[in-house]
Amino acid sequence: TLNVTASNECGTSAATQIGVTIIDVRPMPGAITRPAFVCEGSAGNFTVINDALATGYTWNVTCSGWTGASVTNAITLTPDANPGPCLISVTAENQCGSSAARTLFVTPALIPSQPSPISGPVQLCPTGLGDYSVTSVNNVNYTWTVAPAGPGLTQVGATSQIDWNGVAPGVYTVTATPANRCAIAGPTRTLQVT
């Protein structure tokens, strides 16, 4: 509290009190909460606990191709094809300036490339099993299909086994589709079997 008086040759006035609040920069924000998976092309929400005494927040990402902006305690970011790792930082703001930065390193899962050529028999009789595979890539899931419908299919990751017993003669297309941890699919690879 400040006491203020006015003075002249006749004397001094009664004091008036002025309340003064002293503030400092805000403390570093708490830990950044992130999505379970961060993937190219998939928007993800990042947050810190809101500080009621902060006037706003400043977010920065070192990977320049990411999109998203916010002045609150939450931000939605969409990664691009930059493989990272990317540094996300946030500071709390007030009239005195910026807090120390809270940081988080993130390595996004990219959209998978087209699988390697499918390995497996392309001509066979409708009396047996055929094993098909592509080269396995870390953190990539594979979905196998065969068209037209009819042959039985068992798949395990980058490999599949197709039961051709009793199927009608014709041309069948075996397809391997890759996807990242956010289930975003990449280009497919196909193989025709007769």
Side-chain angles (χ1 to χ4, degrees):
T1 300
L2 292 179
N3 292 321
V4 180
T5 59
S7 300
N8 63 13
E9 60 274 13
C10 296
T12 301
S13 70
T16 298
Q17 292 186 334
I18 300 175
V20 177
T21 301
I22 299 175
I23 61 175
D24 197 356
V25 295
R26 302 307 302 150
M28 179 192 298
I32 299 173
T33 301
R34 51 161 287 171
F37 300 119
V38 178
C39 300
E40 175 189 355
S42 178
N45 295 320
F46 298 81
T47 62
V48 292
I49 295 175
N50 189 51
D51 182 345
L53 297 180
T55 57
Y57 290 83
T58 299
W59 292 85
N60 287 291
V61 183
T62 57
C63 292
S64 59
W66 289 36
T67 58
S70 175
V71 294
T72 72
N73 67 306
I75 189 171
T76 299
L77 295 171
T78 302
D80 68 348
N82 191 318
C86 301
L87 179 67
I88 300 171
S89 65
V90 59
T91 57
E93 312 296 334
N94 69 2
Q95 299 91 329
C96 295
S98 302
S99 71
R102 174 67 67 180
T103 60
L104 174 71
F105 278 102
V106 175
T107 300
L110 303 184
I111 295 174
S113 301
Q114 185 180 39
S116 65
I118 297 174
S119 174
V122 295
Q123 289 185 322
L124 40 75
C125 299
T127 56
L129 302 175
D131 292 323
Y132 299 86
S133 65
V134 294
T135 301
S136 180
V137 176
N138 288 338
N139 297 318
V140 174
N141 300 314
Y142 298 89
T143 300
W144 291 85
T145 59
V146 58
L153 187 151
T154 303
Q155 64 179 40
V156 179
T159 65
S160 68
Q161 187 175 77
I162 298 176
D163 184 352
W164 298 105
N165 282 295
V167 300
V171 178
Y172 293 82
T173 300
V174 178
T175 301
T177 303
N180 63 19
R181 291 173 293 181
C182 295
I184 298 176
T188 62
R189 178 70 73 175
T190 62
L191 178 71
Q192 287 195 327
V193 180
T194 57

